Amino acid sequence: MYLEWILLGLALLTGSLVLLGKVKNMPEGRSTLVDYGRSLFPVILIVFVLRSFIAEPFQIPSSSMVPTLQVGDYILVNKYTYGIRLPVVRTKVVDLNEPERGDVMVFFPPHMNDTYYIKRVIGLPGDSVELRNGALFLNGIYRPEPYVEEAYRLGDSVQGRNFGPTRVKPGHYFVMGDHRDASSDSRDWGQVDQKLLKGRALLIWYSYEEEPNSHKLSAGGQVRSWGSKFIHFFTKSRFSRCFTLIR
């Protein structure tokens, strides 16, 4: 989220320098600062537009979506599937598609408005959602879930086996992780408002064996982590997962 603000600020700053050069009719070489603005503005603007409206990369930090997504998967998220939103303020300006059952989507959970979560859409507005001994029932009818392994459906957590029934509110979605015993989801913090949707997970573009929550490391830890990736690129990269669609 903070990167959006940074990119927006840089785009405004460099754009202002370009505008200043045009207003004062400055030739190249007259102002180093304006020249930097002219060079950087197109690049920053392209990155900002791509990340805000087309696709954005994310890293999977936890095991809540195992086996579909592993810790260390790097994914691309389609930003326009659920409509075009203004960056930073998140206001939807163009309606396109609505989430469907089974979609893997990125969003802001209701209890953490500055942290991205990724879960699977289970219930749509108006649906009745219930778990009976790990089995999913939608509107009272059993619904198979081929993406959930039995070991993760029937774990040690009672909450992972039984829940509800609960009715999904209008304009909201009920989401759960595929690893039911390792997922904090709608069973814990409630349903996701459609205003908090970020996009649909599209594909895994790279995958590397790493520890959970590596994104929370200190600056020094991040440097060491990327150094480790460079050294162990061929031995710890999971090439078989690269460029696979997320279903």
Side-chain angles (χ1 to χ4, degrees), residues 20-33:
L20 177 64
K22 288 185 177 295
V23 169
K24 294 195 174 184
N25 198 25
M26 293 182 181
E28 288 189 16
R30 182 175 176 182
S31 170
T32 303
L33 195 59

Side-chain angles (χ1 to χ4, degrees), residues 176-230:
M176 287 195 290
D178 292 351
H179 190 333
R180 296 289 153 79
D181 268 3
S183 175
S184 172
D185 48 44
S186 288
R187 295 169 296 173
D188 302 306
W189 34 253
Q191 302 164 17
V192 180
D193 192 313
Q194 63 88 20
K195 296 177 182 177
L196 301 176
L197 304 187
K198 190 72 174 175
R200 180 180 178 182
L202 181 62
L203 63 81
I204 301 168
W205 62 271
Y206 176 63
S207 186
Y208 182 85
E209 297 177 14
E210 57 186 319
E211 295 299 317
N213 297 314
S214 61
H215 66 295
K216 295 182 178 179
L217 293 173
S218 63
Q222 292 283 0
V223 172
R224 289 191 294 272
S225 176
W226 282 103
S228 176
K229 287 184 177 69
F230 179 78

Side-chain angles (χ1 to χ4, degrees), residues 10-59:
L10 289 174
L12 291 174
L13 175 61
T14 54
S16 298
L17 291 173
V18 172
L19 182 61
L20 177 64
K22 288 185 177 295
V23 169
K24 294 195 174 184
N25 198 25
M26 293 182 181
E28 288 189 16
R30 182 175 176 182
S31 170
T32 303
L33 195 59
V34 170
D35 288 345
Y36 275 129
R38 288 169 175 160
S39 301
L40 295 174
F41 176 66
V43 177
I44 294 172
L45 183 62
I46 290 172
V47 172
F48 179 70
V49 170
L50 287 176
R51 286 181 59 97
S52 299
F53 301 108
I54 308 300
E56 185 173 352
F58 287 90
Q59 177 187 353

Side-chain angles (χ1 to χ4, degrees), residues 101 122-132 135-143 163-170 172-174 176 191:
R101 297 186 190 96
I122 302 298
L124 302 179
D127 281 346
S128 172
V129 180
E130 182 180 6
L131 288 177
R132 302 177 192 170
L136 174 64
F137 286 78
L138 280 178
N139 303 313
I141 301 174
Y142 169 70
R143 187 179 181 88
F163 178 85
T166 186
R167 182 76 61 181
V168 184
K169 298 179 290 187
H172 289 72
Y173 299 92
F174 191 95
M176 287 195 290
Q191 302 164 17

